[in-house]
Every structure is written in structure tokens, then in C-alpha cells.
Amino acid sequence: MKRIVLSLLILVFTVGLFAQDTDSLLLEKVNMLKSELTIIKKKNKSLQAQIYKLQKTHANDLEETEKKFVTAENTLQKYEQMLAELDQAIKDSEENTLESITVLGAWTKKMHMILAIAVALLFIVLLILVLTNRRGIKRDIVKLEEKVNNTKEAVDIEIKDMLKRYEEDIAALKVVIEKGKK
């Protein structure tokens, strides 16, 4: 019984660790995506600052500024597109994490239910074994009492037989004892 309980406790502990590892991996991925998102936002801000400086310093060279501006705008659009994709990836990751947590929670509930049923079944089996063992002990006690009664009767019969056999000797001893007293 102790081994079964210990095995069940180890199983529950292992299931809990597995669930915790899965959640921690998902959280690490979310944190990594957030850090990449902040880096891209910083790059986006620096590019916008460069565009502003180029407009101020290179007012004379409008054609170059326009080319750089177009290039910077394209880069900005790419980064905005990447930013949008990363935002979508974060949302998807959060949804997947919530789904995983929900599935894991349901699975954990099922495991708890299975463990409760197993413990109840083991308790019932143990109760049946105890009752069966108790009946066997009662039968053994009844048999032992019968043997004791039979042995008692046999000893009583044997004592009566011996008294009958040695009745003459006992009567002679009584006569000798009475003569010895007079």
C-alpha cells in the first residue's frame, strides 16, 4: 500500500514538473519575442531620427535626400511590416500558450480524477482483503475453540478411564491411610 501511494505521489510530482517546464519554455519564447520587438522599435526610432537629420542638413541636395528618404521609408515600411508580423506572432504565441495552459489544466484534472479513482479502488480492495482476512481469522478461532473443547472432553474421558482403572488401588491406599491414622 505504501509503495502504491509513493508511486502515485511520484507520478503526480512528475506530471507537475512536466507542466511547469512546458509553461516556462513558452514564457521564455514570449519574452524573447518581446525583446526583439523592443530592438526593432528602437531601430525604427533611430531611422526616423536619421530621416529628420537628413532633411535638415541636406536641404540643398534634394534629389539625394529624396532617394534616402524613399530608402528610409521603404526600410521603415519593412520594419513596420516586421513589427506587425512580430505583434501577430506574439498574439499567436499568447493564444497558443493559453490553449496549452487550458489543455494542460484539463489533462491535470483528468489525471487527478484517475488518481482519485485509483485510490478509491485500492481502498475498496484493501477493505475487501481486511474483511476476508477477518473472516478467515474467525474461522480459525472457531476451529481452535472446537479443538480445545474436543481436547478437554478427551482429557476428561481419559481421567475417568484412569480413575476406573486404578479405583481398586485408590481404595486400597485409602484403607492403608485410614489404618495409618488409627
Side-chain angles (χ1 to χ4, degrees):
M1 184 65 184
K2 289 180 182 178
R3 288 181 182 172
I4 293 171
V5 170
L6 183 60
S7 298
L8 290 175
L9 286 174
I10 290 172
L11 179 65
V12 167
F13 182 73
T14 306
V15 168
L17 285 177
F18 178 75
Q20 186 178 10
D21 287 342
T22 306
D23 288 343
S24 63
L25 288 174
L26 290 173
L27 288 175
E28 285 178 16
K29 286 182 180 179
V30 168
N31 288 336
M32 185 178 66
L33 289 173
K34 284 182 180 179
S35 65
E36 287 179 10
L37 182 64
T38 56
I39 290 171
I40 290 175
K41 283 181 180 179
K42 287 179 183 178
K43 286 181 180 179
N44 189 14
K45 286 181 181 180
S46 68
L47 286 173
Q48 286 177 348
Q50 287 177 1
I51 290 171
Y52 181 72
K53 285 180 185 178
L54 287 173
Q55 284 175 348
K56 272 184 151 182
T57 55
H58 299 288
N60 295 338
D61 199 3
L62 186 59
E63 288 182 13
E64 282 184 38
T65 305
E66 286 179 2
K67 288 179 183 178
K68 288 183 180 181
F69 184 71
V70 169
T71 305
E73 272 189 19
N74 288 338
T75 307
L76 180 62
Q77 286 176 356
K78 287 179 185 176
Y79 281 124
E80 285 176 354
Q81 185 180 9
M82 288 175 60
L83 184 64
E85 289 174 0
L86 286 174
D87 281 337
Q88 185 63 36
I90 287 174
K91 287 178 184 177
D92 292 342
S93 177
E94 287 175 351
E95 288 175 6
N96 289 339
T97 301
L98 290 175
E99 287 178 16
S100 296
I101 289 172
T102 306
V103 168
L104 190 60
W107 184 77
T108 305
K109 285 180 184 177
K110 287 179 185 176
M111 288 305 296
H112 283 275
M113 183 73 78
I114 290 169
L115 289 175
I117 291 170
V119 167
L121 288 176
L122 288 175
F123 178 74
I124 291 171
V125 168
L126 180 64
L127 187 63
I128 290 170
L129 289 175
V130 167
L131 292 175
T132 312
N133 194 17
R134 190 174 190 186
R135 288 181 187 161
I137 290 172
K138 282 184 180 180
R139 276 193 305 243
D140 291 344
I141 288 174
V142 168
K143 286 179 183 178
L144 188 60
E145 286 176 350
E146 288 175 5
K147 285 182 182 179
V148 167
N149 289 337
N150 291 340
T151 306
K152 209 183 227 184
E153 290 174 6
V155 168
D156 286 341
I157 291 171
E158 207 171 303
I159 289 174
K160 286 180 184 177
D161 285 345
M162 288 180 84
L163 285 175
K164 283 181 184 177
R165 270 192 246 152
Y166 297 107
E167 197 172 293
E168 294 173 2
D169 292 337
I170 293 172
L173 280 173
K174 285 183 183 178
V175 171
V176 172
I177 292 174
E178 285 180 15
K179 285 183 185 180
K181 285 184 185 179
K182 292 184 183 178

